[in-house]
Amino acid sequence: MPVSRSSTTPEQREAWERARKLVGSAVREARIESGLTQEALALESGVTRNMLIHIEHGTRGVSFERLYDLASALDIPAASLMPDDGHLDRTRTGS
């Protein structure tokens, strides 16, 4: 069942923010290592350049499908763009 933002704890929201920043940094690093500009990656992945900017800065979340599209355009596994559990405090609500 989806969880609304209003029913989450501040700790969970902070964990999500940290995860967004880590994913964004991983996307940016992979893009630079691949020698792609933001515009080139956006065109190759089907993500708008503005959305890519928000993802790289960690100000917007990204769906699995878009993450997969980005990884595919970068020719890397999608899992390599996800932070490992050691980078996040696992905070759960309601469980």
Side-chain angles (χ1 to χ4, degrees):
M1 171 174 242
V3 177
S4 70
R5 278 192 167 238
S6 62
S7 67
T8 59
T9 65
E11 293 82 13
Q12 182 64 51
R13 287 189 297 274
E14 288 173 14
W16 289 340
E17 183 177 347
R18 284 192 305 276
R20 281 193 309 270
K21 289 181 187 280
L22 289 169
V23 168
S25 292
V27 169
R28 183 174 192 276
E29 287 175 24
R31 176 182 60 77
I32 291 169
E33 285 177 17
S34 295
L36 295 172
T37 63
Q38 286 176 332
E39 184 152 347
L41 179 56
L43 287 170
E44 187 71 25
S45 67
V47 174
T48 67
R49 183 170 176 268
N50 283 341
M51 179 64 162
L52 182 57
I53 290 168
H54 286 290
I55 292 169
E56 286 189 357
H57 286 108
T59 57
R60 244 163 112 211
V62 59
S63 69
F64 173 78
E65 292 83 1
R66 293 295 73 86
L67 192 67
Y68 182 84
D69 291 342
L70 289 165
S72 180
L74 292 164
D75 198 29
I76 59 175
S80 69
L81 298 175
M82 295 291 296
D84 66 29
D85 288 343
H87 286 98
L88 297 175
D89 292 332
R90 297 197 129 214
T91 308
R92 297 187 179 215
T93 57
S95 45

